[in-house]
Amino acid sequence: MNFFRMIMPYGLEKNDQGEWFAFNRYYEPLGTLQKYVNITEQELQELAFDKDSIAINENTNEIVRVFLFRDGTNPARSVDTKIITKEEQQNWDEYFKRLQKICHFKINEL
């Protein structure tokens, strides 16, 4: 099991309380469950890798999950090599931009 795939946020998912949490490539919640609140649809669309990286609840027509990267653009793929290609560096750069956006989201205080 690749360590980076276990700790890297793969996406965000909405729970039944309307809070968002990050999950890894294995769809497991990351760390101490950070619960983000009041994320707008615009922010979610900007966060998603592309329009196909957004899951919508068919009953409510709300976004319920967004993915930060796709298998082909997974930044962790370059971890096993000593040389990072220009494309792999671009994948890392795009991924970090998405993570920076998440850092500005409001967290639900317990």
Side-chain angles (χ1 to χ4, degrees), residues 9-21:
Y10 180 44
L12 293 179
E13 186 169 10
K14 189 175 186 180
N15 66 18
D16 293 339
Q17 289 78 39
E19 302 162 319
W20 291 84
F21 65 92

Side-chain angles (χ1 to χ4, degrees), residues 12-59:
L12 293 179
E13 186 169 10
K14 189 175 186 180
N15 66 18
D16 293 339
Q17 289 78 39
E19 302 162 319
W20 291 84
F21 65 92
F23 60 91
N24 66 15
R25 186 64 182 90
Y26 302 103
Y27 295 85
E28 300 166 332
L30 290 175
T32 59
L33 195 57
Q34 292 285 355
K35 298 175 183 175
Y36 305 99
V37 294
N38 302 325
I39 302 174
T40 67
E41 292 228 353
Q42 175 72 30
E43 290 171 319
L44 292 167
Q45 290 170 356
E46 292 172 2
L47 188 64
F49 176 76
D50 59 19
K51 66 178 181 163
D52 294 328
S53 299
I54 298 172
I56 296 182
N57 179 318
E58 294 178 10
N59 295 327

